[in-house]
mmCIF file with all atom_site columns, all heavy atoms in Angstrom:
data_model
loop_
_atom_site.group_PDB
_atom_site.id
_atom_site.type_symbol
_atom_site.label_atom_id
_atom_site.label_alt_id
_atom_site.label_comp_id
_atom_site.label_asym_id
_atom_site.label_entity_id
_atom_site.label_seq_id
_atom_site.pdbx_PDB_ins_code
_atom_site.Cartn_x
_atom_site.Cartn_y
_atom_site.Cartn_z
_atom_site.occupancy
_atom_site.B_iso_or_equiv
_atom_site.pdbx_formal_charge
_atom_site.auth_seq_id
_atom_site.auth_comp_id
_atom_site.auth_asym_id
_atom_site.auth_atom_id
_atom_site.pdbx_PDB_model_num
ATOM 1   N N   . ALA A 1 80  ? -11.865 17.162 8.470  1.00 0.00 ? 103 ALA A N   1
ATOM 2   C CA  . ALA A 1 80  ? -11.573 16.192 9.529  1.00 0.00 ? 103 ALA A CA  1
ATOM 3   C C   . ALA A 1 80  ? -11.075 16.954 10.744 1.00 0.00 ? 103 ALA A C   1
ATOM 4   O O   . ALA A 1 80  ? -10.500 18.045 10.619 1.00 0.00 ? 103 ALA A O   1
ATOM 5   C CB  . ALA A 1 80  ? -10.529 15.174 9.078  1.00 0.00 ? 103 ALA A CB  1
ATOM 6   N N   . LEU A 1 81  ? -11.309 16.381 11.924 1.00 0.00 ? 104 LEU A N   1
ATOM 7   C CA  . LEU A 1 81  ? -10.916 17.010 13.183 1.00 0.00 ? 104 LEU A CA  1
ATOM 8   C C   . LEU A 1 81  ? -9.984  16.074 13.935 1.00 0.00 ? 104 LEU A C   1
ATOM 9   O O   . LEU A 1 81  ? -10.351 14.933 14.228 1.00 0.00 ? 104 LEU A O   1
ATOM 10  C CB  . LEU A 1 81  ? -12.159 17.315 14.033 1.00 0.00 ? 104 LEU A CB  1
ATOM 11  C CG  . LEU A 1 81  ? -13.273 18.106 13.349 1.00 0.00 ? 104 LEU A CG  1
ATOM 12  C CD1 . LEU A 1 81  ? -14.475 18.246 14.279 1.00 0.00 ? 104 LEU A CD1 1
ATOM 13  C CD2 . LEU A 1 81  ? -12.771 19.476 12.906 1.00 0.00 ? 104 LEU A CD2 1
ATOM 14  N N   . GLN A 1 82  ? -8.794  16.549 14.247 1.00 0.00 ? 105 GLN A N   1
ATOM 15  C CA  . GLN A 1 82  ? -7.813  15.785 15.012 1.00 0.00 ? 105 GLN A CA  1
ATOM 16  C C   . GLN A 1 82  ? -7.882  16.256 16.457 1.00 0.00 ? 105 GLN A C   1
ATOM 17  O O   . GLN A 1 82  ? -7.613  17.428 16.749 1.00 0.00 ? 105 GLN A O   1
ATOM 18  C CB  . GLN A 1 82  ? -6.420  15.997 14.430 1.00 0.00 ? 105 GLN A CB  1
ATOM 19  C CG  . GLN A 1 82  ? -5.299  15.285 15.170 1.00 0.00 ? 105 GLN A CG  1
ATOM 20  C CD  . GLN A 1 82  ? -3.973  15.549 14.485 1.00 0.00 ? 105 GLN A CD  1
ATOM 21  O OE1 . GLN A 1 82  ? -3.860  15.504 13.267 1.00 0.00 ? 105 GLN A OE1 1
ATOM 22  N NE2 . GLN A 1 82  ? -2.943  15.848 15.277 1.00 0.00 ? 105 GLN A NE2 1
ATOM 23  N N   . LEU A 1 83  ? -8.235  15.349 17.351 1.00 0.00 ? 106 LEU A N   1
ATOM 24  C CA  . LEU A 1 83  ? -8.512  15.714 18.735 1.00 0.00 ? 106 LEU A CA  1
ATOM 25  C C   . LEU A 1 83  ? -7.448  15.148 19.679 1.00 0.00 ? 106 LEU A C   1
ATOM 26  O O   . LEU A 1 83  ? -7.227  13.933 19.721 1.00 0.00 ? 106 LEU A O   1
ATOM 27  C CB  . LEU A 1 83  ? -9.890  15.186 19.149 1.00 0.00 ? 106 LEU A CB  1
ATOM 28  C CG  . LEU A 1 83  ? -11.074 15.609 18.266 1.00 0.00 ? 106 LEU A CG  1
ATOM 29  C CD1 . LEU A 1 83  ? -12.353 14.942 18.750 1.00 0.00 ? 106 LEU A CD1 1
ATOM 30  C CD2 . LEU A 1 83  ? -11.238 17.137 18.272 1.00 0.00 ? 106 LEU A CD2 1
ATOM 31  N N   . ALA A 1 91  ? -15.380 12.928 22.025 1.00 0.00 ? 114 ALA A N   1
ATOM 32  C CA  . ALA A 1 91  ? -15.091 12.741 20.602 1.00 0.00 ? 114 ALA A CA  1
ATOM 33  C C   . ALA A 1 91  ? -16.340 12.281 19.854 1.00 0.00 ? 114 ALA A C   1
ATOM 34  O O   . ALA A 1 91  ? -16.628 12.758 18.745 1.00 0.00 ? 114 ALA A O   1
ATOM 35  C CB  . ALA A 1 91  ? -13.962 11.729 20.420 1.00 0.00 ? 114 ALA A CB  1
ATOM 36  N N   . ILE A 1 94  ? -18.662 15.202 19.422 1.00 0.00 ? 117 ILE A N   1
ATOM 37  C CA  . ILE A 1 94  ? -18.188 16.106 18.374 1.00 0.00 ? 117 ILE A CA  1
ATOM 38  C C   . ILE A 1 94  ? -18.476 15.516 16.999 1.00 0.00 ? 117 ILE A C   1
ATOM 39  O O   . ILE A 1 94  ? -18.904 16.219 16.080 1.00 0.00 ? 117 ILE A O   1
ATOM 40  C CB  . ILE A 1 94  ? -16.684 16.394 18.550 1.00 0.00 ? 117 ILE A CB  1
ATOM 41  C CG1 . ILE A 1 94  ? -16.461 17.238 19.808 1.00 0.00 ? 117 ILE A CG1 1
ATOM 42  C CG2 . ILE A 1 94  ? -16.110 17.094 17.320 1.00 0.00 ? 117 ILE A CG2 1
ATOM 43  C CD1 . ILE A 1 94  ? -15.005 17.412 20.193 1.00 0.00 ? 117 ILE A CD1 1
ATOM 44  N N   . LYS A 1 95  ? -18.269 14.229 16.861 1.00 0.00 ? 118 LYS A N   1
ATOM 45  C CA  . LYS A 1 95  ? -18.543 13.556 15.585 1.00 0.00 ? 118 LYS A CA  1
ATOM 46  C C   . LYS A 1 95  ? -20.031 13.677 15.232 1.00 0.00 ? 118 LYS A C   1
ATOM 47  O O   . LYS A 1 95  ? -20.387 13.980 14.091 1.00 0.00 ? 118 LYS A O   1
ATOM 48  C CB  . LYS A 1 95  ? -18.133 12.089 15.676 1.00 0.00 ? 118 LYS A CB  1
ATOM 49  C CG  . LYS A 1 95  ? -18.365 11.284 14.397 1.00 0.00 ? 118 LYS A CG  1
ATOM 50  C CD  . LYS A 1 95  ? -17.826 9.876  14.543 1.00 0.00 ? 118 LYS A CD  1
ATOM 51  C CE  . LYS A 1 95  ? -18.177 9.017  13.351 1.00 0.00 ? 118 LYS A CE  1
ATOM 52  N NZ  . LYS A 1 95  ? -17.562 9.508  12.088 1.00 0.00 ? 118 LYS A NZ  1
ATOM 53  N N   . THR A 1 98  ? -20.835 17.508 14.381 1.00 0.00 ? 121 THR A N   1
ATOM 54  C CA  . THR A 1 98  ? -20.247 18.103 13.177 1.00 0.00 ? 121 THR A CA  1
ATOM 55  C C   . THR A 1 98  ? -20.419 17.257 11.924 1.00 0.00 ? 121 THR A C   1
ATOM 56  O O   . THR A 1 98  ? -20.397 17.788 10.809 1.00 0.00 ? 121 THR A O   1
ATOM 57  C CB  . THR A 1 98  ? -18.742 18.333 13.374 1.00 0.00 ? 121 THR A CB  1
ATOM 58  O OG1 . THR A 1 98  ? -18.082 17.059 13.525 1.00 0.00 ? 121 THR A OG1 1
ATOM 59  C CG2 . THR A 1 98  ? -18.478 19.192 14.605 1.00 0.00 ? 121 THR A CG2 1
ATOM 60  N N   . LEU A 1 100 ? -18.203 15.363 10.836 1.00 0.00 ? 123 LEU A N   1
ATOM 61  C CA  . LEU A 1 100 ? -16.890 15.266 10.203 1.00 0.00 ? 123 LEU A CA  1
ATOM 62  C C   . LEU A 1 100 ? -16.119 14.046 10.703 1.00 0.00 ? 123 LEU A C   1
ATOM 63  O O   . LEU A 1 100 ? -16.409 13.496 11.767 1.00 0.00 ? 123 LEU A O   1
ATOM 64  C CB  . LEU A 1 100 ? -16.077 16.534 10.488 1.00 0.00 ? 123 LEU A CB  1
ATOM 65  C CG  . LEU A 1 100 ? -16.655 17.840 9.937  1.00 0.00 ? 123 LEU A CG  1
ATOM 66  C CD1 . LEU A 1 100 ? -15.760 19.012 10.324 1.00 0.00 ? 123 LEU A CD1 1
ATOM 67  C CD2 . LEU A 1 100 ? -16.826 17.774 8.430  1.00 0.00 ? 123 LEU A CD2 1
ATOM 68  N N   . ALA A 1 101 ? -15.129 13.645 9.917  1.00 0.00 ? 124 ALA A N   1
ATOM 69  C CA  . ALA A 1 101 ? -14.258 12.545 10.323 1.00 0.00 ? 124 ALA A CA  1
ATOM 70  C C   . ALA A 1 101 ? -13.461 12.965 11.554 1.00 0.00 ? 124 ALA A C   1
ATOM 71  O O   . ALA A 1 101 ? -12.993 14.098 11.652 1.00 0.00 ? 124 ALA A O   1
ATOM 72  C CB  . ALA A 1 101 ? -13.313 12.176 9.194  1.00 0.00 ? 124 ALA A CB  1
ATOM 73  N N   . ILE A 1 102 ? -13.319 12.044 12.487 1.00 0.00 ? 125 ILE A N   1
ATOM 74  C CA  . ILE A 1 102 ? -12.612 12.315 13.738 1.00 0.00 ? 125 ILE A CA  1
ATOM 75  C C   . ILE A 1 102 ? -11.332 11.486 13.808 1.00 0.00 ? 125 ILE A C   1
ATOM 76  O O   . ILE A 1 102 ? -11.363 10.264 13.621 1.00 0.00 ? 125 ILE A O   1
ATOM 77  C CB  . ILE A 1 102 ? -13.498 11.977 14.957 1.00 0.00 ? 125 ILE A CB  1
ATOM 78  C CG1 . ILE A 1 102 ? -14.783 12.803 14.959 1.00 0.00 ? 125 ILE A CG1 1
ATOM 79  C CG2 . ILE A 1 102 ? -12.715 12.156 16.257 1.00 0.00 ? 125 ILE A CG2 1
ATOM 80  C CD1 . ILE A 1 102 ? -14.583 14.291 15.109 1.00 0.00 ? 125 ILE A CD1 1
ATOM 81  N N   . TRP A 1 103 ? -10.223 12.172 14.074 1.00 0.00 ? 126 TRP A N   1
ATOM 82  C CA  . TRP A 1 103 ? -8.958  11.507 14.361 1.00 0.00 ? 126 TRP A CA  1
ATOM 83  C C   . TRP A 1 103 ? -8.696  11.670 15.850 1.00 0.00 ? 126 TRP A C   1
ATOM 84  O O   . TRP A 1 103 ? -8.640  12.798 16.349 1.00 0.00 ? 126 TRP A O   1
ATOM 85  C CB  . TRP A 1 103 ? -7.802  12.145 13.599 1.00 0.00 ? 126 TRP A CB  1
ATOM 86  C CG  . TRP A 1 103 ? -7.854  12.040 12.114 1.00 0.00 ? 126 TRP A CG  1
ATOM 87  C CD1 . TRP A 1 103 ? -8.943  11.759 11.330 1.00 0.00 ? 126 TRP A CD1 1
ATOM 88  C CD2 . TRP A 1 103 ? -6.762  12.235 11.213 1.00 0.00 ? 126 TRP A CD2 1
ATOM 89  N NE1 . TRP A 1 103 ? -8.596  11.782 10.018 1.00 0.00 ? 126 TRP A NE1 1
ATOM 90  C CE2 . TRP A 1 103 ? -7.267  12.066 9.910  1.00 0.00 ? 126 TRP A CE2 1
ATOM 91  C CE3 . TRP A 1 103 ? -5.418  12.553 11.378 1.00 0.00 ? 126 TRP A CE3 1
ATOM 92  C CZ2 . TRP A 1 103 ? -6.455  12.193 8.777  1.00 0.00 ? 126 TRP A CZ2 1
ATOM 93  C CZ3 . TRP A 1 103 ? -4.609  12.685 10.259 1.00 0.00 ? 126 TRP A CZ3 1
ATOM 94  C CH2 . TRP A 1 103 ? -5.135  12.496 8.975  1.00 0.00 ? 126 TRP A CH2 1
ATOM 95  N N   . ALA A 1 104 ? -8.538  10.591 16.556 1.00 0.00 ? 127 ALA A N   1
ATOM 96  C CA  . ALA A 1 104 ? -8.269  10.646 17.994 1.00 0.00 ? 127 ALA A CA  1
ATOM 97  C C   . ALA A 1 104 ? -6.793  10.369 18.242 1.00 0.00 ? 127 ALA A C   1
ATOM 98  O O   . ALA A 1 104 ? -6.270  9.327  17.851 1.00 0.00 ? 127 ALA A O   1
ATOM 99  C CB  . ALA A 1 104 ? -9.120  9.636  18.739 1.00 0.00 ? 127 ALA A CB  1
ATOM 100 N N   . ALA A 1 123 ? -16.318 6.127  18.082 1.00 0.00 ? 146 ALA A N   1
ATOM 101 C CA  . ALA A 1 123 ? -16.237 7.570  18.350 1.00 0.00 ? 146 ALA A CA  1
ATOM 102 C C   . ALA A 1 123 ? -15.321 8.267  17.369 1.00 0.00 ? 146 ALA A C   1
ATOM 103 O O   . ALA A 1 123 ? -15.451 9.471  17.145 1.00 0.00 ? 146 ALA A O   1
ATOM 104 C CB  . ALA A 1 123 ? -15.739 7.813  19.772 1.00 0.00 ? 146 ALA A CB  1
ATOM 105 N N   . ALA A 1 124 ? -14.362 7.534  16.815 1.00 0.00 ? 147 ALA A N   1
ATOM 106 C CA  . ALA A 1 124 ? -13.376 8.120  15.905 1.00 0.00 ? 147 ALA A CA  1
ATOM 107 C C   . ALA A 1 124 ? -13.282 7.288  14.634 1.00 0.00 ? 147 ALA A C   1
ATOM 108 O O   . ALA A 1 124 ? -13.670 6.119  14.601 1.00 0.00 ? 147 ALA A O   1
ATOM 109 C CB  . ALA A 1 124 ? -12.019 8.205  16.583 1.00 0.00 ? 147 ALA A CB  1
ATOM 110 N N   . ASP A 1 125 ? -12.751 7.920  13.607 1.00 0.00 ? 148 ASP A N   1
ATOM 111 C CA  . ASP A 1 125 ? -12.552 7.249  12.328 1.00 0.00 ? 148 ASP A CA  1
ATOM 112 C C   . ASP A 1 125 ? -11.110 6.813  12.132 1.00 0.00 ? 148 ASP A C   1
ATOM 113 O O   . ASP A 1 125 ? -10.820 5.945  11.316 1.00 0.00 ? 148 ASP A O   1
ATOM 114 C CB  . ASP A 1 125 ? -12.955 8.192  11.185 1.00 0.00 ? 148 ASP A CB  1
ATOM 115 C CG  . ASP A 1 125 ? -14.403 8.626  11.302 1.00 0.00 ? 148 ASP A CG  1
ATOM 116 O OD1 . ASP A 1 125 ? -15.272 7.868  10.851 1.00 0.00 ? 148 ASP A OD1 1
ATOM 117 O OD2 . ASP A 1 125 ? -14.656 9.706  11.867 1.00 0.00 ? 148 ASP A OD2 1
ATOM 118 N N   . ARG A 1 126 ? -10.198 7.434  12.874 1.00 0.00 ? 149 ARG A N   1
ATOM 119 C CA  . ARG A 1 126 ? -8.780  7.115  12.750 1.00 0.00 ? 149 ARG A CA  1
ATOM 120 C C   . ARG A 1 126 ? -8.083  7.404  14.072 1.00 0.00 ? 149 ARG A C   1
ATOM 121 O O   . ARG A 1 126 ? -8.436  8.351  14.768 1.00 0.00 ? 149 ARG A O   1
ATOM 122 C CB  . ARG A 1 126 ? -8.141  7.959  11.639 1.00 0.00 ? 149 ARG A CB  1
ATOM 123 C CG  . ARG A 1 126 ? -6.671  7.645  11.363 1.00 0.00 ? 149 ARG A CG  1
ATOM 124 C CD  . ARG A 1 126 ? -6.117  8.492  10.222 1.00 0.00 ? 149 ARG A CD  1
ATOM 125 N NE  . ARG A 1 126 ? -6.813  8.262  8.969  1.00 0.00 ? 149 ARG A NE  1
ATOM 126 C CZ  . ARG A 1 126 ? -6.554  7.265  8.131  1.00 0.00 ? 149 ARG A CZ  1
ATOM 127 N NH1 . ARG A 1 126 ? -5.604  6.397  8.415  1.00 0.00 ? 149 ARG A NH1 1
ATOM 128 N NH2 . ARG A 1 126 ? -7.232  7.138  7.007  1.00 0.00 ? 149 ARG A NH2 1
#
Side-chain angles (χ1 to χ4, degrees):
L104 308 176
Q105 178 179 316
L106 305 177
I117 291 172
K118 180 175 174 63
T121 65
L123 297 179
I125 300 296
W126 295 18
D148 301 277
R149 184 178 299 277

